[in-house]
Amino acid sequence: MTKIAIIGLGYVGLPLAVAFAEKYPVIGFDINQARVKGLMGGHDFTLEVSDELLTSVVSIEPTEKGLLCTTNLDAIKDCNYFIVTVPTPTDKHNRPDLTPLYKASETVGKVLKKGDIVVYESTVYPGVTEEECIPVLERVSGLKFNVDFFAGYSPERINPGDKEHTVTKILKVTSGSTPEIAEKVDQLYKSVIVAGTFKASSMKVAEAAKVIENSQRDINIAFVNELSKIFNKLGIDTNDVLEAAGTKWNFLKFKPGLVGGHCIGVDPYYLAQKAQEVGYHPEIILAGRRLNDGMGAYVAEEVVKLMVKKEINVKNARCLILGFTFKENCPDVRNTKVIDIVKELKNYHVTPVIFDPWANPNEVQHEYGIEVVNEMPTGNYESAILAVSHIEFKGIDIRSLLIDNGVLFDVKGLLEKGVADARL
């Protein structure tokens, strides 16, 4: 009988666990007691899974199907599939941090049995599963890879906040450590992924496919961000240019903006790291990263320049920032680039006031040490930046919140043309 353990119940692990739990007995394992308690109580604070759906699959003792969330390692001993969905961040020097993967592998290694299959979904550079994770599993379990236990890799394709492209509706790439295991892993995912699966020729190919998906997007966004800087100096509206160019059938319709989150702003560094390890210095990938990483500071600098032109005193001025999450209509603040705007404004002695109806103020305080409010703050501001296009912002008259000649910068192009003083 198939019994699945999901290691890590975050933005990736929980939706996957719920999908499998509608057909199989699933044990969701996480070291965060508060997270587990919330899920067993029927609520997902990430809002990726509705309370109704979560409640329908949660079970104290899943037998034929259902989901038990736990911090108890003994609960996953009877599982024969272990799917690892922990994050793969970068450190302050933008180097891949595999610590969560090592720890998750040690956890699985403690309960690994003969015949078990361990599948990794965490985004990594090609070779991590076999070269970094498998040795940990062997060391802790005392078992031999591809003799006693087997592995697979199936990259996550979760899009936080997207209620249309949910986990079962996105085609899934799968792979395995042997042809037979690759087929088993593929069939397992195919049983719940209605969009279908694509079986890659090897785990390294699957790892590489994932990391270039986001690197490609990163580079394309970097290109339009650079165009935005150029057209700003030429006095041309970037969105007008992109709209005109977009009339050609094969023009790629990317827009300028802040590139944060747990994927696009991180994954290219994983590929760059591996490239450098084998003696190749990636020019385009790192150039795109540098440009995108500098967009938050660029926005703040442009706002300050506009304030100077309007003869607004910059020092001790207040700037209302609308939005802090890394993307619209979701509470995810991981690797948000709005923080770069905040930091740069503070360098100019401008006081940021951040309003975001989606972000958890306690999480923001813990992760970034700054205050975010969920209700619109009162008062007149010298400047305002529309940083995230939450649906709640569409009906707000931001101009009414500013002093008479206040500066309004539209990062997302959400406002009608001419309303903002500038936009990317």
Side-chain angles (χ1 to χ4, degrees), residues 106-265:
E106 288 176 354
T107 296
V108 173
K110 292 174 183 177
V111 295
L112 201 59
K113 309 174 300 300
K114 287 190 175 183
D116 288 350
I117 299 173
V118 185
V119 181
Y120 289 86
E121 289 213 0
S122 307
T123 302
V124 293
Y125 54 77
V128 166
T129 300
E130 292 162 278
E131 298 163 15
E132 302 291 341
C133 299
I134 297 302
V136 175
L137 293 173
E138 287 186 315
R139 173 176 57 80
V140 177
S141 69
L143 301 176
K144 189 174 176 65
F145 176 51
N146 274 346
V147 175
D148 300 319
F149 73 94
F150 305 89
Y153 183 81
S154 180
E156 60 91 358
R157 280 179 168 171
I158 293 293
N159 188 25
D162 190 338
K163 302 308 178 187
E164 180 180 353
H165 301 97
T166 52
V167 63
T168 61
K169 297 177 183 176
I170 303 173
L171 195 141
K172 200 88 164 67
V173 174
T174 67
S175 65
S177 55
T178 69
E180 295 76 20
I181 295 302
E183 180 62 21
K184 280 189 174 184
V185 171
D186 190 66
Q187 290 299 323
L188 178 69
Y189 280 99
K190 190 175 287 184
S191 68
V192 296
I193 305 295
V194 296
T197 59
F198 177 90
K199 188 165 59 173
S201 58
S202 71
M203 291 194 292
K204 283 185 179 179
V205 166
E207 290 168 328
K210 169 58 182 176
V211 82
I212 71 164
E213 288 174 19
N214 290 324
S215 297
Q216 183 188 65
R217 285 183 56 79
D218 192 43
I219 291 166
N220 278 294
I221 297 171
F223 174 60
V224 293
N225 274 336
E226 188 162 64
L227 293 180
S228 176
K229 290 183 174 183
I230 294 170
F231 294 143
N232 178 45
K233 288 186 175 294
L234 296 175
I236 303 172
D237 187 283
T238 305
N239 285 280
D240 286 351
V241 176
L242 294 176
E243 185 178 0
T247 59
K248 190 166 187 278
W249 76 91
N250 59 353
F251 184 81
L252 301 178
K253 296 183 179 180
F254 286 87
K255 289 189 174 183
L258 304 175
V259 184
H262 64 297
C263 284
I264 301 179

Side-chain angles (χ1 to χ4, degrees), residues 32-39:
N32 187 331
Q33 183 65 55
R35 173 66 167 160
V36 167
K37 183 178 179 181
L39 294 176

